[in-house]
Amino acid sequence: MYQINNTLTVADFNYELPQALIAQTPPASRGQSRLLHIDPQDRLHDLAFPDIVNLLKPDDLLVFNNTKVIKARLYGQKQSGGKVEALIERITEPTRALAHLKSSKSPKAGARLVFENAFEAEVLGREGELFDIRFPGNVLDLLDQYGATPLPPYIQHEADSSDEQRYQTVYAREPGAVAAPTAGLHFDDTLLQQIKAAGINCSFVTLHVGAGTFQPVRVEQLKDHTMHAEWYTVGQETVDAILQTRARGGRVIAVGTTSVRALESAAHQGGLAGTKCPIAHSADTRLFITPGYEFQVIDGLLTNFHLPQSTLLMLVSALCGLDTMRQAYQHAIAQQYRFFSYGDAMFIAPRA
């Protein structure tokens, strides 16, 4: 495992963002976003998102994260009558889950919680900051019926039926995420068909994005940060697609930082020497990618704009370089790009 640069601090990844540039709603339809292209010479180009087709080459491989956002937010009350809000972080068994709980006083093991005036759940104990909760039935079924889409903390409206559809990729298949892999939100079925018609291949990994993706880095030096864990799966079909792409001279382009983490985590488990290819693997990952990291699999990245001082911004900086990242973000702010989950996108082209 690589050593994190011990001179890098969280302050190196700070920037000032006007509140008005935080996108509160998605564009009228998918694909209407803007696209900032960082070319191989680090020049910046202002484009429309559908131009991504022209930036890719036949035999390139796009790797998407097909995780599906679950309705992970529940509102209820404790036996005392006090209000409680739950955000399911991970389903551990069909009837059990780990969750963040917000209440005036943390419930203890054995406490019973009534959610949505519909069902009762029991707190079994704690695992660090998370609460182990047993539900009276299948967790996914109960969430689907009573839960709410867990919008990010910087989006200021309650989730509605529109968010249920738009805070989800069109190719979402595997339920388990509490935050969307937002680079994928720009794609609709028509654009995916255009991509395939251009000879560009598509493959999928799964990484269940956790609420930790929004947590600030609470240490000064990056080397002291402990990355949150997220479950990922890279299947043999995707490994084979990467090998075929390499054999044809194509490039591997990750759609979103979560696809990067899945591919690079699997590569750290092994792979064929000299192939820039991971092995098929499923596990928790705590891989923390910062400048100085040597990428094992990906050549380029399509991503949204990320929070100041976030681990996602650090990952992006590792690929394009800290100075280039700063220039790109300053340009995006000056040109009034829309930021974060419902915002615009950036394509970091493979280096020449």
Side-chain angles (χ1 to χ4, degrees):
M1 192 66 71
Y2 82 110
Q3 295 294 314
I4 295 175
N5 185 330
N6 62 13
T7 66
L8 289 173
T9 68
V10 174
D12 292 322
F13 302 89
N14 195 27
Y15 66 92
E16 296 296 325
L17 179 69
Q19 195 77 10
L21 296 186
I22 300 175
Q24 295 297 315
T25 57
S29 60
R30 296 182 194 267
Q32 286 190 338
S33 301
R34 298 166 70 188
L35 179 67
L36 178 60
H37 173 215
I38 305 178
D39 73 18
Q41 288 74 45
D42 292 336
R43 294 171 301 202
L44 305 176
H45 308 271
D46 298 310
L47 304 172
F49 188 79
D51 292 327
I52 189 65
V53 179
N54 303 319
L55 301 178
L56 301 172
K57 300 176 181 178
D59 292 329
D60 280 351
L61 177 69
L62 286 176
V63 182
F64 298 86
N65 181 6
N66 66 2
T67 189
K68 186 174 183 178
V69 179
I70 59 176
K71 295 181 182 179
R73 198 178 300 282
L74 290 166
Y75 298 95
Q77 60 187 42
K78 298 181 287 186
Q79 288 169 305
S80 63
K83 291 182 179 180
V84 64
E85 177 185 332
L87 177 63
I88 305 303
E89 173 76 16
R90 179 178 299 197
I91 296 170
T92 55
E93 295 179 13
T95 60
R96 283 175 69 176
L98 294 174
H100 303 269
L101 288 182
K102 269 194 206 174
S103 64
S104 57
K105 190 174 180 182
S106 294
K108 297 197 174 355
R112 297 190 172 272
L113 311 173
V114 177
F115 288 114
E116 309 298 336
N117 291 318
F119 65 90
E120 190 175 88
E122 181 185 1
V123 176
L124 300 178
R126 294 188 68 160
E127 289 189 18
E129 296 181 350
L130 300 174
F131 291 80
D132 186 3
I133 301 176
R134 180 160 54 209
F135 289 75
N138 184 278
V139 179
L140 276 176
D141 291 343
L142 290 167
L143 292 177
D144 193 54
Q145 186 172 359
Y146 299 106
T149 299
L151 294 178
Y154 44 76
I155 290 180
Q156 319 237 318
H157 65 267
E158 293 292 324
D160 57 24
S161 58
S162 172
D163 293 301
E164 289 180 18
Q165 191 246 335
R166 293 300 301 276
Y167 194 63
Q168 193 85 268
T169 63
V170 298
Y171 48 80
R173 294 290 180 273
E174 303 294 333
V178 301
T182 55
L185 298 180
H186 304 283
F187 292 87
D188 60 12
D189 291 327
T190 299
L191 183 56
L192 290 172
Q193 289 168 7
Q194 291 172 354
I195 286 169
K196 290 177 183 177
I200 299 153
N201 300 297
C202 298
S203 195
F204 298 90
V205 296
T206 302
L207 184 141
H208 292 318
V209 192
T213 194
F214 303 118
Q215 294 299 313
V217 177
R218 295 188 174 93
V219 295
E220 182 178 343
Q221 292 194 313
L222 269 55
K223 66 180 179 62
D224 297 326
H225 177 63
T226 300
M227 192 71 172
H228 61 280
E230 292 172 319
W231 181 264
Y232 75 93
T233 297
V234 176
Q236 188 60 48
E237 186 176 339
T238 295
V239 172
D240 293 341
I242 293 171
L243 285 170
Q244 292 161 13
T245 298
R246 297 290 181 217
R248 292 190 297 261
R251 307 172 302 176
V252 176
I253 310 296
V255 178
T257 57
T258 59
S259 295
V260 175
R261 288 192 75 216
L263 291 169
E264 296 293 320
S265 296
H268 281 282
Q269 303 302 318
L272 299 175
T275 62
K276 288 193 73 180
C277 185
I279 62 168
H281 197 256
S282 294
D284 266 335
T285 178
R286 291 185 180 271
L287 181 62
F288 184 24
I289 297 176
T290 65
Y293 177 85
E294 185 176 341
F295 288 88
Q296 305 295 305
V297 181
I298 72 156
D299 300 305
L301 171 64
L302 180 68
T303 185
N304 278 19
F305 293 95
H306 302 293
L307 290 161
Q309 301 185 356
S310 64
T311 60
L312 305 183
L313 186 58
M314 295 164 190
L315 184 155
V316 170
S317 302
L319 185 62
C320 69
L322 190 53
D323 289 341
T324 298
M325 182 276 294
R326 288 171 176 155
Q327 292 167 13
Y329 273 60
Q330 287 170 4
H331 176 88
I333 291 168
Q335 296 300 314
Q336 296 195 308
Y337 277 69
R338 301 169 80 237
F339 276 62
F340 308 158
S341 295
Y342 277 151
D344 296 314
M346 179 168 67
F347 176 56
I348 304 171
R351 308 293 89 178

